[in-house]
Amino acid sequence: MAAFIHHQQRPLRSRLRHWQQVRTWARLIREAEALWHVDVRALRRLGAVELSQLIEEVPATHRRRVNRWLDSYSVATRLHRVPSSQRDDNAC
């Protein structure tokens, strides 16, 4: 019985970790996008650089769920899905 309970906890921890990572990506993107609305050009530029770096760093496997969080945060940024052929090329 203990083995069954332990087996059930691992997928739950994994799902929780995945959920936290996805939410964190979306929050970072929201914060970078918020810098666009500041009137200082240097901060806008910094926000644009930060946003472009974040978009490049989000793993392809998280993009769909990150987009859901971005939608709930009411931000304009959305992540495009990477075709599987490009994902395979980047893995090398």
Side-chain angles (χ1 to χ4, degrees):
M1 184 69 164
F4 177 73
I5 292 171
H6 180 69
H7 178 71
Q8 291 297 324
Q9 289 174 345
R10 190 177 315 174
L12 182 60
R13 285 185 192 145
S14 177
R15 288 194 322 248
L16 177 62
R17 189 178 320 109
H18 183 77
W19 177 84
Q20 288 172 329
Q21 289 172 344
V22 167
R23 183 184 63 167
T24 299
W25 284 115
R27 291 176 76 181
L28 288 170
I29 290 169
R30 178 184 64 172
E31 290 171 12
E33 192 175 288
L35 291 175
W36 289 353
H37 304 291
V38 177
D39 288 334
V40 180
R41 285 186 182 181
L43 283 178
R44 284 185 179 180
R45 197 172 316 125
L46 177 65
V49 169
E50 183 71 20
L51 182 60
S52 65
Q53 288 176 346
L54 285 169
I55 289 171
E56 292 298 318
E57 292 176 11
V58 174
T61 57
H62 290 5
R63 288 176 181 241
R64 192 179 90 209
R65 293 186 73 187
V66 169
N67 279 334
R68 282 193 228 152
W69 278 101
L70 294 173
D71 188 43
S72 69
Y73 287 146
S74 301
V75 297
T77 301
R78 294 298 180 271
L79 303 174
H80 298 288
R81 294 184 68 182
V82 178
S84 60
S85 61
Q86 286 182 357
R87 261 188 270 151
D88 296 339
D89 294 342
N90 292 338
C92 295

